[in-house]
Amino acid sequence: MTSTVPAPATRTAEGSALQAVLLDMDGTLVDTEGFWWDVEVEVFAGLGHTLDDSWRHVVVGGPMTRSAGFLIEATGADIDLADLTVLLNQGFEDRIDRALPLMPGAARLLAELAAFEIPTALVSASHRRIIDRVLTSLGPQHFALTVAGDEVPRTKPHPDPYLLAAAGLGAEPARCAVVEDTATGVAAAEAAGCHVVAVPSVAPITPAARRTVVTSLEEVDLAFLRGLMAA
């Protein structure tokens, strides 16, 4: 239940142990983490509730079921999870239809990975309907595989999405570089055994073993990712 673009044969450039690059979407490639919070604030205002700004750090980067469930419980709003999910997805789609800014360095990084035929996957906690809308701007040709949060039994922070993406590309998780912007996504990638580049979007992330923290995708290129494997 991944999709949709035929995968090129996995191949590793000579002299490099990097087999694949796995990329998060919201807040990593597209500047949309703020969109989700704005939609949540708007939807709950319509239900008669004001969201505490401190909750933003709780819901960022997580699956819809976790973030929406938390907000229902925190506010006591009279709405079930299924109905709230529909409202949140629709509000988000309305926003990305008006504007979908890419993160600085995202277009350049995707073009470089494609030029060197590095197997690349998009791995997101967002639902398939959202991913497919965003792909029209990112360019589906940049990804051999995409994994959506509603297509795996356990999404981030569990390792399942990244393990599925690595397997789909014929790569060993330990020879995959993951680029993420939230602690939830970092936890998923590290649990899968991948090398992680964290580009924090909302909350800070600290460096750790097999985890490199940068301030922008503009610091990340193919040489940088290959260097992670060598280190």
Side-chain angles (χ1 to χ4, degrees), residues 145-166:
L145 183 71
T146 63
V147 178
D150 57 341
E151 295 176 339
V152 289
R154 303 187 307 169
T155 188
K156 304 173 187 179
H158 298 286
D160 307 38
Y162 282 113
L163 292 173
L164 182 62

Side-chain angles (χ1 to χ4, degrees), residues 24-226:
D24 175 54
M25 187 177 76
D26 293 302
T28 299
L29 293 177
V30 289
D31 192 7
T32 50
E33 287 292 7
F35 285 16
W36 281 113
W37 180 248
D38 291 345
V39 170
E40 288 158 353
V41 168
E42 181 180 285
V43 167
F44 276 89
L47 296 170
H49 297 274
T50 300
L51 300 188
D52 189 312
D53 195 60
S54 66
W55 297 342
R56 181 174 183 176
H57 297 298
V58 178
V59 301
V60 66
M64 179 76 73
T65 52
R66 189 196 75 184
S67 57
F70 168 83
L71 292 173
I72 290 173
E73 183 176 352
T75 61
D78 184 19
I79 189 170
D80 63 29
L81 184 60
D83 289 340
L84 179 57
T85 296
V86 171
L87 292 177
L88 293 176
N89 276 327
Q90 186 58 59
F92 185 80
E93 288 180 36
D94 290 344
R95 274 169 170 72
I96 63 176
D97 283 345
R98 295 195 296 267
L100 185 58
L102 269 61
M103 297 299 287
R108 189 253 326 137
L109 177 60
L110 290 174
E112 183 179 18
L113 294 174
F116 285 88
E117 300 183 16
I118 303 299
T120 302
L122 185 69
V123 184
S124 176
S126 290
H127 289 187
R128 168 58 54 193
R129 60 183 284 186
I130 298 296
I131 288 179
D132 287 345
R133 296 286 280 271
V134 174
L135 277 173
T136 61
S137 295
L138 284 176
Q141 73 277 7
H142 290 120
F143 305 99
L145 183 71
T146 63
V147 178
D150 57 341
E151 295 176 339
V152 289
R154 303 187 307 169
T155 188
K156 304 173 187 179
H158 298 286
D160 307 38
Y162 282 113
L163 292 173
L164 182 62
L169 296 177
E172 301 170 28
R175 295 175 69 180
C176 292
V178 169
V179 185
E180 273 280 0
D181 72 303
T182 67
T184 299
V186 167
E190 291 181 341
C194 304
H195 291 261
V196 180
V197 179
V199 193
S201 61
V202 175
I205 298 172
T206 58
R210 297 172 65 86
R211 180 197 310 166
T212 302
V213 180
V214 299
T215 59
S216 168
L217 280 184
E218 292 182 319
E219 299 175 46
V220 180
D221 58 15
L222 183 52
F224 179 93
L225 296 174
R226 285 175 171 158

